[in-house]
Amino acid sequence: MDRILIRGGSRLEGEIEISGAKNAALPLMCAGLLTDEVLKLRNLPQLADIDTMAKLLQQLGVNITIEDGPMATSAQTGNFSTKAITNYTAEYELVRKMRASILVLGPLVARCGKARVSLPGGCALGTRPVDLHIKGLQQLGAEIDLQDGYIVASAPNGLKGTEIFFPVVTVTGTENLLMAACLVKGETRLVNAAREPEVTDLAECLVKMGADITGIGTGTLVIQGKDTLHGADHAIVADRIVVGTYAIAAAITNGNVELIGARAEHIQSVIAYLEQVGVEVSKTEDGLRVTRSSNTIRSVDITTEPYPGFPTDMQAQAMALMCMADGAAVINETIFENRFMHVPELCRMGANITVNGMTATVRGVPELHGAPVMATDLRASVSLVLAGLAAKGETIVSRVYHLDRGYDHVEQKLAACGASIERLKAAA
Ligand code: EPZ
């Protein structure tokens, strides 16, 4: 398995191109199941999860062609078309690797009236149930059994629009039911729907495909079902979590970095947090500039919430920054029950963090020191890279396959801004 070696202490200066959002690209690729015409998705990030999703969709009968961007590190363009669904099973082997595979469930049931999708099972972050996905489809009229670890869905009498209330805000739950509702007779109302920019991006693309959706960007989405959807050409929204991650890379190294393609309106909560910490974030013609010139990093408490609150996907990265802050920061993780696996690894680098249930208290230390550390999940892995950028000495992050799921060309992009970082390829 590849590892990443970082020699800390360099100040980041320069610019970083932000690619399309992983968590928008994944549902958008599944929207290709809803039409027999070509769905063109631009700004498709080069990530392991995108490759995994493409493999799954091809197994279902989706025809996919990928066009490369101008440079090796550029985003790509993907063309997705589904003349017919030739297979409606998403195997455990693929689903266990990537939970977002559950996003084929709604489109399959809506398009061909049946689906057999492996239950994703738990993951490092916790149990990660999908009960709300299943319940919503049942409310639309699908019959669902759980057989041998698979969700077996069918719609012998077709699907019919209804009102679905989410007791818990669920991003992929909203996306699954939003896609299904586009091909369901009648009106469907999704109440307490997720409002993440990736959900909005999906809704906007579905409208380009001929869907009738109102309330986009709000917590209530109203869909008038159609018989078919047509193709479209859609540019995937920039990845706000990648923006927030590189913003913290600039802050933690006392740097000055421009994030090309970043959209301030999608990370207001992170910008507000960084400004409280003492980091300057300003809009530029091409995105956002992030600089920290003051010597201190102020300790600021965090509570993760659904959008537009502080994103849980930014919690590990913010914690890395708080490790060298001037006081104690209390971090409440309210979304996932086990999203502190980066803590013991950061403590190996000299951080002073105590965890009590879903609350971590980070007491700032004057400096971190490099150490061999292990990635455990996508955002934990990047928090270790961030800490390594600021630490004294060498940090080696192992199991970087976690990192490659959500960050494309991370070592190239950071090295181009002055970081001393390289990938240690696993022996073939
Ligand atoms: C999406 O996961 C993202 N993944 C996650 O990003 C992100 O952390 C999460 O939303 C929260 O923002 C993708 O979009 C592919 P949820 P998702 O359903 O949809 C509970 C990353 O790092 N819940 O919004 O799986 C659940 O247990 C990944 O890029 C139910 O109880 O998350 C959790 O407590 C990690 N029943 C809460 O809702 C359900 O049926 C939010 O989960 C569904 C969810």
Side-chain angles (χ1 to χ4, degrees):
M1 287 182 253
D2 290 2
R3 294 173 300 157
I4 282 187
L5 165 65
I6 304 147
R7 292 182 187 85
S10 311
R11 191 169 181 276
L12 291 191
E13 292 211 278
E15 57 184 54
I16 296 179
E17 187 82 32
I18 302 297
S19 46
K22 165 179 84 80
N23 291 349
L26 293 170
L28 284 164
M29 290 166 77
C30 296
L33 287 163
L34 297 169
T35 176
D36 58 3
E37 296 182 11
V38 175
L39 172 59
K40 184 183 281 288
L41 296 176
R42 301 175 191 282
N43 207 16
L44 192 66
Q46 295 186 52
L47 297 170
D49 273 8
I50 301 300
D51 297 342
T52 304
M53 182 61 86
K55 259 194 218 99
L56 169 58
L57 292 172
Q58 284 166 327
Q59 285 177 3
L60 302 179
V62 181
N63 181 278
I64 302 176
T65 58
I66 300 286
E67 300 156 31
D68 285 336
M71 298 192 302
T73 59
S74 305
Q76 299 174 316
T77 294
N79 300 290
F80 302 80
S81 64
T82 315
K83 288 280 177 244
I85 306 273
T86 53
N87 165 30
Y88 54 89
T89 294
E91 300 290 349
Y92 174 65
E93 265 323 294
L94 259 180
V95 176
R96 75 180 177 82
K97 271 202 303 186
M98 187 187 61
R99 315 179 37 72
S101 311
I102 190 77
L103 285 164
V104 303
L105 179 64
L108 282 175
V109 177
R111 178 81 189 271
C112 65
K114 54 188 173 186
R116 183 171 173 273
V117 177
S118 169
L119 277 165
C123 80
L125 304 184
T127 51
R128 305 290 296 274
V130 290
D131 56 309
L132 301 178
H133 300 237
I134 291 170
K135 188 160 166 287
L137 285 171
Q138 287 171 323
Q139 287 180 263
L140 289 173
E143 289 175 13
I144 293 189
D145 290 319
L146 299 184
Q147 292 169 9
D148 311 323
Y150 279 77
I151 302 165
V152 181
S154 62
N157 311 313
L159 299 175
K160 194 166 163 307
T162 185
E163 176 164 295
I164 295 168
F165 171 74
F166 292 105
V168 174
V169 173
T170 163
V171 172
T172 50
T174 299
E175 291 164 343
N176 236 336
L177 292 157
L178 173 61
M179 288 190 279
C182 290
L183 293 181
V184 165
K185 279 191 183 38
E187 176 178 283
T188 298
R189 295 167 59 83
L190 302 182
V191 182
N192 198 26
R195 295 163 50 198
E196 272 67 4
E198 295 76 29
V199 177
T200 294
D201 203 44
L202 172 65
E204 287 172 349
C205 179
L206 290 166
V207 166
K208 287 179 190 171
M209 294 169 69
D212 177 346
I213 305 170
T214 51
I216 295 176
T218 76
T220 301
L221 296 171
V222 182
I223 305 103
Q224 306 299 336
K226 296 289 176 97
D227 292 337
T228 58
L229 294 186
H230 51 70
D233 183 333
H234 181 76
I236 299 169
V237 68
D239 194 317
R240 63 191 167 103
I241 304 300
V242 169
V243 169
T245 303
Y246 287 129
I248 289 192
I252 210 167
T253 60
N254 220 359
N256 175 358
V257 176
E258 184 177 13
L259 304 175
I260 310 297
R263 289 176 56 178
E265 68 271 26
H266 290 162
I267 50 161
Q268 289 297 1
S269 58
V270 176
I271 291 172
Y273 162 74
L274 287 173
E275 286 171 346
Q276 284 180 283
V277 167
V279 179
E280 288 124 57
V281 183
S282 53
K283 280 187 184 170
T284 65
E285 209 171 296
D286 300 323
L288 287 174
R289 176 168 297 287
V290 182
T291 50
R292 178 164 74 85
S293 39
S294 70
N295 282 334
T296 55
I297 296 171
R298 283 195 291 274
S299 292
V300 177
D301 294 350
I302 293 168
T303 296
T304 63
E305 296 171 312
Y307 190 86
F310 191 93
T312 175
D313 292 350
M314 279 298 303
Q315 179 255 107
Q317 299 91 311
M319 185 183 284
L321 183 60
M322 290 295 99
C323 287
M324 289 181 297
D326 62 357
V330 175
I331 298 179
N332 289 308
E333 172 53 65
T334 69
I335 308 291
F336 293 118
E337 65 263 34
N338 187 31
R339 200 168 200 173
F340 286 140
M341 284 163 303
H342 38 288
V343 168
E345 301 304 308
L346 288 169
C347 290
R348 286 176 48 73
M349 300 175 72
N352 178 352
I353 310 168
T354 51
V355 172
N356 182 358
M358 307 252 290
T359 298
T361 302
V362 187
R363 291 178 176 80
V365 293
E367 70 180 16
L368 296 175
H369 49 80
V373 288
M374 188 165 75
T376 50
D377 62 83
L378 168 55
R379 306 304 174 181
S381 53
V382 82
S383 80
L384 302 176
V385 171
L386 295 173
L389 291 173
K392 242 182 176 31
E394 287 190 352
T395 297
I396 295 188
V397 182
S398 59
R399 301 192 177 180
V400 291
Y401 59 85
H402 289 292
L403 190 66
D404 295 337
R405 295 189 51 180
Y407 291 88
D408 68 297
H409 307 99
V410 63
E411 64 270 22
Q412 288 94 322
K413 292 186 173 182
L414 288 173
C417 290
S420 172
I421 179 170
E422 60 185 292
R423 182 174 289 252
L424 306 176
K425 282 290 216 194

